[in-house]
Amino acid sequence: MSKFDPYEHLKIIKNQDGTLTRLMKIPQLPATGDVDLLPGQTVVSKDVTLDATKNTWVRIFRPVKIPSNDNKIARLPLVIYFHAGGWINFQVSDRVNHETMNKLAFEVPVIAVAVNYRLAPETRLPGQYDDAMDALNWVKKQATDPNGEPWITEYVDFSRVFLYGTSCGANIVLHTALRVINQDISPLTIAGIILCEPFIGGKKRTRSELKMAADLLFPLPVIDLLWELALPNGTDRDHRFCNPLADQQVKKKMEKLGRCLVIGFGGDPLIDRQQELVQMMVMQGVVVEARFDDVGFHGIEIVDPKRADAILSFVKEFIL
C-alpha cells in the first residue's frame, strides 16, 4: 500500500488552490422537461434552480401516469434523494443517477427530487448539509405556495416525505434528519429515512476496515483521502460529521428519529460501522429495518443490475 496513490485511483488531481481537477468522464442525461412524450416513456423530469448563488439545483421526476382513486389523482410519497460520489464526484444528471430515479419514480411510484449539492473540497462539510436543508425548505415552500412548482403542489402527499441517500448521500440524510428534529418543517412530515451503504468513519480502525484495507474498489487510503477532502479544515475523522457514533449529542438526538431503513453489504470496508450505527439506533429506540447481505461491496448497485433491483425492492417495501 505504500506506493498506492489514492488520487490516481479516484482519477483526480489536487490543484494548488485546493480545488480538484476531475478526470473521470461520466455519461450525462438531460431532463425531459415538459415536452411531447416519446413512445413507451414512463417518467418525465425537469430541472429547477435551488440556489443560484451556490449553483445548486434539483431534478424532479414524476411518473407519466399518476394513479387515481375514485377518479381523483392520488397524491404520491415524496423522496428527496442524495447521490453517492465520496463527497467529491458525480451529479444528479449522471446516467446512473438519472436512471435510478426514473425507476424509483415509476416502480414505487413516487415523486422524486434529486439534489445536486455542492462537492468537496471546493465546499467542505457542513456545506452539503446546508444544501440538503435548502432542498427541504424549498419543498416546504412549494407546499404552501399556490403558485409553487406544480409537480410538487399537485402530486405530493406532504405527510409522506422520505429522505434517501447512498454512501455519502446517506451521511447527508442522517445529519439532515438530525437537524430537522429542531426545526418546524410543517406541513411536511418525514415519514422515514433510507441509508444505503452509509459513509461514516472514525480514527480507530474497525475489523472490517483492517480486513479490507487493500480492497480493490474502496481501499483505506481512498477512504481516508475522501474524508481529508470533505471534513472542515483542522478536524479529523472523529468529528461528528464523520463519526456520529462517538458524539454523545448525536446519540441523544437519535432517539427522536423516526423509521429508518439501513442497507449494507458484507464486502464493504464500512460494514462494521454501519452495523454499529444500527445497534446505536436500536438502543436509542429508533424503529430500524436493517437489510445487510453478506455478499456484495460498496457501490455494487452501479455494476450489478440485480442488486440495484433488490435495493429498489427494499426501498419500495419501506415506503409503502
Side-chain angles (χ1 to χ4, degrees), residues 259-275:
R259 297 172 59 232
C260 181
L261 170 64
V262 183
I263 301 168
F265 300 98
D268 185 345
L270 307 180
I271 188 65
D272 284 355
R273 296 190 187 277
Q274 294 162 0
Q275 292 179 338

Side-chain angles (χ1 to χ4, degrees), residues 188-247:
L188 310 185
T189 298
I190 304 299
I193 65 173
I194 302 165
L195 310 178
C196 184
E197 306 156 79
F199 190 12
I200 54 179
K203 289 175 65 176
K204 185 179 179 180
R205 304 299 191 188
T206 64
R207 295 176 69 179
S208 62
E209 287 172 343
L210 293 173
K211 179 181 178 181
M212 291 176 265
D215 182 73
L216 293 177
L217 296 176
F218 207 38
L220 272 186
V222 166
I223 294 172
D224 290 352
L225 176 60
L226 293 174
W227 284 120
E228 180 184 323
L229 294 171
L231 285 169
N233 287 316
T235 64
D236 59 32
R237 293 194 308 275
D238 276 339
H239 190 284
R240 67 183 184 281
F241 296 163
C242 176
N243 189 2
L245 303 175
D247 190 285

Side-chain angles (χ1 to χ4, degrees), residues 145-157:
D145 184 352
N147 298 313
E149 166 54 51
W151 288 10
I152 303 295
T153 60
E154 295 177 15
Y155 301 125
V156 166
D157 178 352

Side-chain angles (χ1 to χ4, degrees), residues 67-81:
S68 61
N69 295 322
D70 299 326
N71 296 321
K72 293 183 179 179
I73 294 177
R75 286 189 172 267
L76 301 178
L78 173 70
V79 173
I80 304 177
Y81 181 74

